[in-house]
Amino acid sequence: EDQVTQSPEALRLQEGESSSLNCSYTVSGLRGLFWYRQDPGKGPEFLFTLYSAGEEKEKERLKATLTKKESFLHITAPKPEDSATYLCAVQTNYGGATNKLIFGTGTLLAVQP
Amino acid sequence: DTGVSQDPRHKITKRGQNVTFRCDPISEHNRLYWYRQTLGQGPEFLTYFQNEAQLEKSRLLSDRFSAERPKGSFSTLEIQRTEQGDSAMYLCASSLLPGQPNTEAFFGQGTRLTVV
């Protein structure tokens, strides 16, 4: 069964304290891995798509990387406005062309000033 | 704003009542998805449309749920005879077709349903 596991469930950082969030996945065939940010009471906001092992993408203080079994979201010198839930999701390349996303449960990040 | 739009943002209903939600996708997107998200969980896939055709439904979508996308534009999700277990955030997303660049899904702000 396709599965996405995120860790830690919650992370508290001081402003400027860099860290990484983990997303491990078990799928028979990966079409793509996606990172989203979700603020309380709002819909997920798209951040990155990664398609193949070794791929990296960056946006401001965020950098996403992908291996054959997991992805990391690195946060460099975070600011309080980076506080949110970060969701990881995968698309599989079998079962038709649904392109549906299979999500993990997210990591709740709190950055304190 | 050219993003995905959902209406209403919040809905409180009594158990047993019917509710309907609306989603307006990004105009050039052929695909439209419905997801459900409960507290502390990631979104779970419910169903999706390619233009006006509903191509897949999750086992989560009981007979009380029905979705439509007339003319391949906006979509509606109706829940009949609501139950307390239906309380959740209902999210709509849209994307381009596979094989095109940038096929990531963009989400709306969701409709928060509370069944009392």
Side-chain angles (χ1 to χ4, degrees):
Chain A
E1 183 182 344
D2 301 326
Q3 196 166 0
V4 178
T5 304
Q6 293 189 245
S7 62
E9 289 185 4
L11 181 63
R12 182 172 295 180
L13 299 174
Q14 293 294 317
E15 184 172 2
E17 179 187 3
S18 301
S19 188
S20 296
L21 313 182
N22 177 262
C23 171
S24 63
Y25 60 90
T26 305
V27 297
S28 296
L30 180 71
R31 175 177 285 162
L33 185 140
F34 299 77
W35 283 99
Y36 286 85
R37 168 193 171 128
Q38 187 173 29
D39 292 306
K42 297 192 175 182
E45 175 189 347
F46 171 75
L47 294 174
F48 302 110
T49 310
L50 301 166
Y51 291 107
S52 56
E55 189 175 358
E56 299 182 352
K57 290 200 176 164
E58 288 189 66
K59 179 182 179 180
E60 297 181 350
R61 295 176 293 282
L62 301 176
K63 178 180 177 180
T65 62
L66 181 66
T67 72
K68 289 186 177 180
K69 293 185 177 181
E70 59 190 349
S71 176
F72 290 94
L73 185 65
H74 307 278
I75 303 177
T76 302
K79 298 181 177 182
E81 53 262 41
D82 295 321
S83 298
T85 295
Y86 290 85
L87 294 165
C88 171
V90 298
Q91 278 180 351
T92 62
N93 59 12
Y94 57 90
T98 306
N99 272 22
K100 65 184 177 187
L101 295 168
I102 303 167
F103 281 89
T105 54
T107 293
L108 176 60
L109 175 66
V111 181
Q112 295 181 316
Chain B
D1 186 5
T2 56
V4 178
S5 177
Q6 292 189 245
D7 183 71
R9 291 292 312 279
H10 304 275
K11 179 71 176 179
I12 300 174
T13 191
K14 291 184 178 179
R15 190 176 54 181
Q17 297 294 305
N18 299 344
V19 293
T20 300
F21 311 140
R22 177 180 171 124
C23 171
D24 287 272
I26 294 171
S27 58
E28 61 267 29
H29 284 182
N30 308 91
R31 289 204 164 179
L32 186 149
Y33 302 82
W34 286 98
Y35 288 82
R36 180 171 68 188
Q37 186 177 26
T38 54
L39 197 63
Q41 300 298 312
E44 295 177 292
F45 170 77
L46 292 178
T47 187
Y48 92 102
F49 293 83
Q50 182 162 309
N51 300 314
E52 67 275 10
Q54 187 175 15
L55 298 184
E56 184 175 339
K57 292 191 281 189
S58 162
R59 285 171 288 181
L60 293 175
L61 213 65
S62 77
D63 292 342
R64 297 184 296 105
F65 288 70
S66 63
E68 294 182 342
R69 191 183 183 195
K71 303 179 182 178
S73 55
F74 70 92
S75 176
T76 58
L77 178 67
E78 180 183 16
I79 309 175
Q80 296 181 325
R81 305 181 303 281
T82 52
E83 302 173 354
Q84 287 189 322
D86 297 330
S87 296
M89 174 80 89
Y90 290 84
L91 293 163
C92 177
S94 68
S95 74
L96 294 170
L97 289 174
Q100 297 177 282
N102 305 320
T103 57
E104 56 270 9
F106 292 88
F107 283 82
Q109 297 290 43
T111 295
R112 168 72 67 188
L113 173 66
T114 302
V115 181
V116 297

